[in-house]
Amino acid sequence: MTTEITSYLLAAQSPDAKIRTEAENSLKQFQEQNPSGFLLALSVELSNDGKPIESRRLAGIVLKNSLDAKDVSRKEHLLQQWVAIDASIKQQIKESLLRTLRSMTQEAWHTSAQVVAKISSIEIPRKEWPDLIGSLLNNMTQPDSSALLKQATLETLGYVCEEISHEELEQSEVNSILTAVVQGMNLAQHSAEIRLAATKALYNALAFAQTNFENELERNYIMKVVCDTATSQEVEVRQAAYECLVAIASMYYEVLEPYMQALFELTSKAVKEDEEVVALQAIEFWSSICDEEIEIQESFEIESDQSDPPHSRFIGKALQFLVPMLLETLLKQEEDQDQDDSIWNVSMAGGTCLGLVAKTVGDAIVPLVMPFVEANISSPEWRCREAATFAFGSILEGPSVDRLSPLVHAGLDFLLKAMNDQNSHVKDTTAWTLSRIFELLHCPSSGFSVITAANLQPVLGVLLESIKDTPHVAEKICGAIYYLAQGFEDSGATSSSLTPYLPQIIASLIAAADRTDGNDSKLRSASYETLNEIVRCANVPETTQIIEQLLHAIMTKLSQSFDLPIDKEKREDLQALLCGVLQVIIQKLNVDESKIILQYADQIMLLFLKIFSCRSSTVNEEAMLAIGALAYATGPDFGKYMSELYKYLEMGLTNFEEYQVCSITVGVVGDICRALDDKILPYCDQVMSLLLRNLSSGDLHRSVKPPIFSCFGDIALAIGAEFEKYLSYAIPMLQSASEVCAQMDTNDDEIMEYGNILKRSIFEAYSGILQGLKDAKPELLVPHAKHLLQFLEFIFRDKQRDESVTKAAIAALGDLTDALGPNAKIFLKECTFFAEFIHECLESGDEQIKDTALWTQGMIGQVMVS
């Protein structure tokens, strides 16, 4: 089979499509018939130096993809598939992979290092590869180990540390890894390739070094080696060393005090003199220090009344030297950086860091930056003018309004005039700065705004003229208009100062969206996003007529889009944006002017149905969201569209591959249930069947499952007692999901975030079912009360839950009591947690949680005295 798999792997890369397809099918057939033998054959192929590099390369890729996947459900399937393989086969595979590390072919051992790490991520947590670390470390200490083997081993150690948790290794193993890695960074003993591999491995191993960084001697040694490596001759090695320093700044901020003088000198030299890739990391070091001090400051302000946060004030202490260094970087612009968002250079990194410094030290930065601004803002050199504008825009968040107010008032006219600058870089940065000013210093509801009745018209005049400028400048102007409108939203006035200008603003945004001189669709997207914000912030009813005219214009554009002579992708992007505008308009007019939506509903629905018939996932997402808004706006009248719409809802609910479409469709089903109430009943059997099938599927992305539970609640609320026939299917699903919540890894932030969403959706389902059945058949819920209360107690004891879970949980407790009435008494008497839970909620700073807790307390009080 070894010869056959080689030929299959080579044929699978053939330029001939027929040969390629036949080879891929043969490989797939082999994998399906003998999964463990397939993996073993791949590992042998990869380890065999006598095989062609092309077959070895593909063998490694297929092997890696057979162990890991981005999709969570696929990843779990592959994990279980590996676990099920016979231990002797697994041992042979692992031996082949470790043998490959000795290969003279870098591409082979590089892939093998990654595969070893993937297997370690499965086996080390299960205590199934106890000798891996020892085997790798042995490669580093054997006298006959080649330089190439040491390089491969260090790379493997780095990947292993990246894949596993620091809690899964013994401290003695961590110490040995760190020793091997740090010794590998030694300049005198090793080649540049080994030192680079060692430095990258240290980067991945730093999370394991908590104990070592607590020990002063060990910490001193690690820091010395990293700092020495940061001065290596090789650019790549220096860059990797600075990446380590950035990570150390984030992980071990609290122990950095003794090293900060040396680190400032090191980073300052790198920023001024080194290659850009190194200078970028040196700047990033200070950005990381800012991030740490900002985070400490913010958490301290929440938890304490004192004014001095307990951090080392590294930024404050270095301010006099750090700010001039960063200002100098602003003058190192690239000619085309304003036209390419992917560019990241020293100038942009310096400006970003300057903004973080401003957030960290507040008012103290202003006197250090303003002389630079004043000295350069009128310079004949465009770089100086742009740098001065960038510096000013970067310090607008952090200092107090009182400190910034006179500067912004004095500078606004200058900035407006600068929109006529001859240089597009200057105009681009000026537009960005205006956007920042309107975002941060235009808030009439707080009592301060740089925008006044006197300057609003000239400000808008400049903005609406500048939106005709080059596409990248116009895009930034859209941002300025966006925040200008947003600032007026909460002003509290019955009439908005912006209303008289809305027709002109809307016309300018639509004209910008229609431009064809840009190479991409960013201006179009920015224009429509800004248009959405204009509508969202508009005052109804004074703008009703304007918004109705816009509704008609957008519908016309959407209708015409089907016949535009543009390619399919551009058409779909345009249609998605137009559907987004329609959704915002529908939501806005639904507040007080729903009769307008009813008047246009048939035409809108025809457009959406035409979009669905084109089968584009991008447009379908936006159209589905707009359908949800339309259902809410039209209420029971929406029922007349269901016969035509249902087939598209079914397509969405079965679209596992484009799971975002599936998730949105589930949400829209909930919206329709709330709109139609029991008129949704004729479709419920089919919908519930699809939803239950989705929950049972291992192929559906997990993010779709919480919306399905919430949808159960919406359906139950809509159809009331008719939900009885689904109860025996829905409740076990909810109970199973609650058990999954209890077993989640609390150390994984991503899992915890998903867990909170899942918990909230379970309670939303229970609340809907309880409310739906309480008037007709509350007794059906008695057998399930105990399980729900157990889940509620689990949530009460979970101190990592977020506020949305707390609110949903306390509401579900109230709904349970309300629905069961006297029957709830026996269950509540057995509970010891609910009084404390209610008390905790009543002490919450969230008014909605407090109100819900008060209602729940009242419900329980009525039941307990009955």
Side-chain angles (χ1 to χ4, degrees):
M1 190 64 215
T2 306
T3 308
E4 286 183 26
I5 200 164
T6 304
S7 60
Y8 290 153
L9 289 165
L10 291 172
Q13 301 170 73
S14 168
D16 186 312
K18 184 179 178 184
I19 295 173
R20 198 166 60 243
T21 302
E22 287 175 358
E24 288 168 355
N25 289 338
S26 297
L27 287 168
K28 188 175 181 182
Q29 187 178 8
F30 180 14
Q31 184 176 20
E32 289 171 352
Q33 289 175 351
N34 186 1
S36 58
F38 180 68
L39 295 182
L40 179 58
L42 290 172
S43 68
V44 170
E45 184 78 16
L46 180 61
S47 68
N48 191 336
D49 277 339
K51 296 289 184 178
I53 186 57
E54 293 81 7
S55 66
R56 296 175 75 188
R57 181 192 301 123
L58 186 55
I61 292 169
V62 175
L63 188 55
K64 190 168 63 172
N65 292 341
S66 300
L67 293 163
D68 193 28
K70 288 183 179 178
D71 180 75
V72 176
S73 56
R74 171 77 177 152
K75 185 184 180 88
E76 179 63 24
H77 169 73
L78 294 175
L79 184 152
Q80 295 303 330
Q81 185 174 279
W82 172 262
V83 169
I85 293 174
D86 181 82
S88 64
I89 301 289
K90 285 194 283 192
Q91 186 61 30
Q92 290 178 63
I93 293 171
K94 291 186 287 189
E95 286 171 0
S96 289
L97 292 168
L98 292 176
R99 194 162 54 248
T100 309
L101 298 181
R102 297 177 175 274
S103 171
M104 298 301 290
T105 308
Q106 181 168 354
E107 200 169 342
W109 61 249
H110 174 73
T111 304
S112 185
Q114 294 175 307
V115 178
V116 167
K118 294 298 178 188
I119 295 173
S120 75
S121 71
I122 299 171
E123 296 210 339
I124 287 180
R126 304 166 69 90
K127 309 296 182 189
E128 290 179 355
W129 201 353
D131 57 348
L132 170 63
I133 301 300
S135 298
L136 293 172
L137 293 172
N138 196 44
N139 290 346
M140 298 300 296
T141 55
Q142 287 298 310
D144 62 341
S145 292
S146 68
L148 214 54
L149 175 58
K150 289 181 179 180
Q151 186 183 346
T153 300
L154 286 165
E155 193 168 301
T156 307
L157 284 167
Y159 286 137
V160 169
C161 290
E162 188 177 19
E163 288 289 339
I164 65 175
S165 166
H166 64 277
E167 297 169 346
E168 287 158 357
L169 291 181
E170 298 294 331
Q171 186 58 43
S172 59
E173 291 179 304
V174 173
N175 293 343
S176 298
I177 290 172
L178 288 171
T179 300
V181 166
V182 172
Q183 285 177 353
M185 294 167 71
N186 189 298
L187 178 63
Q189 294 179 2
H190 298 298
S191 66
E193 291 80 13
I194 290 178
R195 286 185 287 114
L196 178 61
T199 309
K200 288 182 174 180
L202 177 63
Y203 177 86
N204 288 323
L206 282 169
F208 295 70
Q210 179 75 47
T211 302
N212 309 85
F213 266 81
E214 289 169 359
N215 181 303
E216 186 180 354
L217 285 174
E218 294 182 29
R219 182 174 71 242
N220 286 344
Y221 183 60
I222 293 170
M223 290 300 294
K224 181 181 184 307
V225 171
V226 176
C227 289
D228 287 347
T229 306
T231 62
S232 297
Q233 286 188 344
E234 303 82 11
V235 173
E236 270 193 289
V237 178
R238 293 201 302 277
Q239 180 185 355
Y242 273 104
E243 286 171 359
C244 287
L245 287 175
V246 172
I248 289 167
S250 294
M251 294 180 196
Y252 303 113
Y253 168 90
E254 65 280 356
V255 297
L256 287 183
E257 180 85 56
Y259 317 104
M260 287 307 291
Q261 181 61 40
L263 289 170
F264 178 79
E265 292 169 6
L266 202 62
T267 53
S268 180
K269 184 176 173 61
V271 171
K272 291 174 183 175
E273 301 174 12
D274 214 326
E275 300 289 333
E276 183 172 79
V277 290
V278 180
L280 285 171
Q281 291 303 319
I283 295 169
E284 186 63 25
F285 171 83
W286 289 102
S287 292
S288 292
I289 295 289
C290 287
D291 286 336
E292 291 305 306
E293 296 196 355
I294 290 166
E295 186 179 340
I296 293 168
Q297 223 157 278
E298 288 175 349
S299 57
F300 184 77
E301 285 166 5
I302 292 169
E303 297 166 8
S304 172
D305 296 330
Q306 299 174 42
S307 56
D308 294 328
H311 62 63
S312 301
R313 298 187 179 279
F314 294 141
I315 299 300
K317 291 171 185 174
L319 203 59
Q320 299 288 332
F321 308 100
L322 181 60
V323 170
M325 178 186 82
L326 294 173
L327 290 172
E328 196 177 314
T329 67
L330 303 188
L331 294 161
K332 297 180 180 180
Q333 308 98 321
E334 291 177 28
E335 289 286 348
D336 58 349
Q337 69 180 39
D338 56 336
Q339 298 178 43
D340 185 352
D341 286 347
S342 66
I343 288 178
W344 183 250
N345 56 34
V346 168
S347 168
M348 299 170 84
T352 301
C353 187
L354 190 66
L356 290 168
V357 171
K359 283 184 72 176
T360 307
V361 301
D363 289 356
I365 199 171
V366 176
L368 294 172
V369 171
M370 287 312 296
F372 176 85
V373 174
E374 290 158 3
N376 290 281
I377 198 75
S378 299
S379 169
E381 292 290 330
W382 75 262
R383 291 182 186 278
C384 296
R385 298 196 304 278
E386 193 275 339
T389 311
F390 192 13
F392 187 61
S394 297
I395 64 165
L396 292 173
E397 187 175 10
S400 64
V401 169
D402 289 343
R403 190 72 179 85
L404 290 174
S405 174
L407 300 173
V408 173
H409 275 300
L412 184 59
D413 282 346
F414 190 95
L415 290 168
L416 293 172
K417 287 172 185 169
M419 286 310 304
N420 291 315
D421 197 283
Q422 295 302 303
N423 185 275
S424 67
H425 292 77
V426 177
K427 287 188 285 188
D428 185 88
T429 304
T430 303
W432 171 79
T433 301
L434 287 169
S435 175
R436 295 265 292 170
I437 288 171
F438 299 151
E439 178 187 4
L440 300 165
L441 296 159
H442 164 48
C443 186
S445 62
S446 71
F448 173 79
S449 175
V450 68
I451 300 297
T452 64
N455 68 17
L456 177 57
Q457 186 172 356
V459 165
L460 278 169
V462 170
L463 296 180
L464 298 185
E465 185 60 33
S466 298
I467 204 171
K468 301 170 189 173
D469 210 309
T470 56
H472 58 91
V473 172
E475 184 192 341
K476 304 289 194 312
I477 290 294
C478 286
I481 296 171
Y482 181 102
Y483 288 115
L484 183 67
Q486 195 176 80
F488 285 115
E489 182 186 10
D490 299 319
S491 62
T494 53
S495 178
S496 171
S497 305
L498 209 57
T499 299
Y501 305 100
L502 282 190
Q504 195 179 352
I505 294 171
I506 289 169
S508 295
L509 288 168
I510 290 176
D514 287 344
R515 284 171 57 168
T516 57
D517 56 340
N519 294 326
D520 52 42
S521 58
K522 285 177 188 167
L523 176 56
R524 176 181 283 169
S525 297
S527 300
Y528 280 122
E529 284 169 17
T530 304
L531 188 58
N532 289 344
E533 193 66 5
I534 292 287
V535 173
R536 197 180 65 78
C537 299
N539 273 18
V540 174
E542 72 173 354
T543 58
T544 299
Q545 188 177 352
I546 298 170
I547 296 175
E548 184 180 354
Q549 289 169 355
L550 176 62
L551 171 61
H552 188 268
I554 297 296
M555 287 171 60
T556 301
K557 278 188 166 295
L558 186 54
S559 178
Q560 293 169 346
S561 69
F562 294 98
D563 302 315
L564 285 176
I566 54 177
D567 65 49
K568 183 173 182 285
E569 186 179 349
K570 285 183 178 176
R571 177 180 292 107
E572 289 173 358
D573 287 343
L574 173 60
Q575 289 175 340
L577 290 166
L578 292 169
C579 286
V581 180
L582 285 177
Q583 180 195 353
V584 175
I585 292 173
I586 292 166
Q587 289 169 333
K588 190 68 182 180
L589 292 180
N590 182 50
V591 178
D592 297 305
E593 304 289 344
S594 57
K595 62 181 183 295
I596 294 174
I597 299 301
L598 289 171
Q599 178 187 332
Y600 287 94
D602 289 356
Q603 296 164 263
I604 294 172
M605 197 65 201
L606 284 172
L607 287 170
F608 290 155
L609 291 172
K610 190 171 182 180
I611 281 170
F612 290 137
S613 69
C614 297
R615 312 282 177 85
S616 161
S617 63
T618 308
V619 192
N620 280 6
E621 285 185 41
E622 295 299 330
M624 271 294 175
L625 289 167
I627 288 274
L630 187 64
Y632 186 77
T634 55
D637 288 350
F638 190 83
K640 63 184 176 181
Y641 307 124
M642 282 300 292
S643 59
E644 282 294 317
L645 177 64
Y646 180 75
K647 63 183 174 186
Y648 298 115
L649 291 174
E650 192 170 272
M651 284 179 196
L653 292 176
T654 54
N655 191 347
F656 286 14
E657 188 174 339
E658 294 161 332
Y659 63 88
Q660 295 95 335
V661 174
C662 186
S663 183
I664 288 168
T665 307
V666 172
V668 169
V669 169
D671 293 334
I672 293 170
C673 288
R674 288 190 291 275
L676 297 185
D677 289 327
D678 60 358
K679 291 187 178 65
I680 192 69
L681 198 54
Y683 303 93
C684 280
D685 283 354
Q686 298 148 286
V687 168
M688 281 298 295
S689 175
L690 289 170
L691 295 179
L692 289 164
R693 191 184 311 160
N694 286 3
L695 284 175
S696 302
S697 171
D699 296 326
L700 182 61
H701 195 275
R702 69 179 183 187
S703 65
V704 185
K705 298 190 177 183
I708 290 175
F709 288 128
S710 299
C711 193
F712 283 174
D714 293 324
I715 293 170
L717 269 173
I719 64 175
E722 297 293 335
F723 195 80
E724 178 185 355
K725 61 180 172 180
Y726 309 122
L727 207 59
S728 61
Y729 304 101
I731 293 292
M733 290 288 193
L734 290 168
Q735 291 177 348
S736 175
S738 64
E739 285 158 14
V740 168
C741 291
Q743 296 164 8
M744 283 182 173
D745 180 4
T746 56
N747 294 314
D748 187 320
D749 290 342
E750 191 178 329
I751 293 289
M752 287 302 296
E753 184 180 353
Y754 172 71
N756 278 318
I757 295 169
L758 181 59
K759 291 165 192 171
R760 184 178 72 238
S761 71
I762 292 169
F763 287 126
E764 287 171 352
Y766 271 120
S767 284
I769 293 168
L770 288 162
Q771 290 176 44
L773 294 176
K774 79 171 181 180
D775 293 331
K777 297 187 175 180
E779 68 280 357
L780 294 172
L781 300 163
V782 172
H784 312 297
K786 187 173 181 180
H787 192 280
L788 174 54
L789 285 165
Q790 287 171 346
F791 185 49
L792 280 162
E793 183 169 5
F794 164 72
I795 295 300
F796 163 65
R797 306 206 182 283
D798 172 19
K799 299 309 175 189
Q800 290 182 282
R801 67 179 185 272
D802 67 21
E803 288 188 341
S804 67
V805 175
T806 302
K807 182 187 166 190
I810 202 69
L813 178 59
D815 288 324
L816 177 69
T817 309
D818 184 29
L820 297 191
N823 288 327
K825 195 170 184 178
I826 186 169
F827 297 108
L828 292 170
K829 279 186 175 179
E830 294 174 5
C831 291
T832 57
F833 76 92
F834 73 81
E836 195 177 340
F837 191 18
I838 290 171
H839 176 74
E840 179 189 308
C841 292
L842 291 172
E843 296 292 310
S844 167
D846 187 301
E847 291 300 320
Q848 287 188 323
I849 292 175
K850 275 194 206 173
D851 290 345
T852 308
L854 273 172
W855 174 77
T856 298
Q857 188 179 47
M859 286 288 110
I860 292 174
Q862 288 176 31
V863 165
M864 298 307 273
V865 299
S866 62

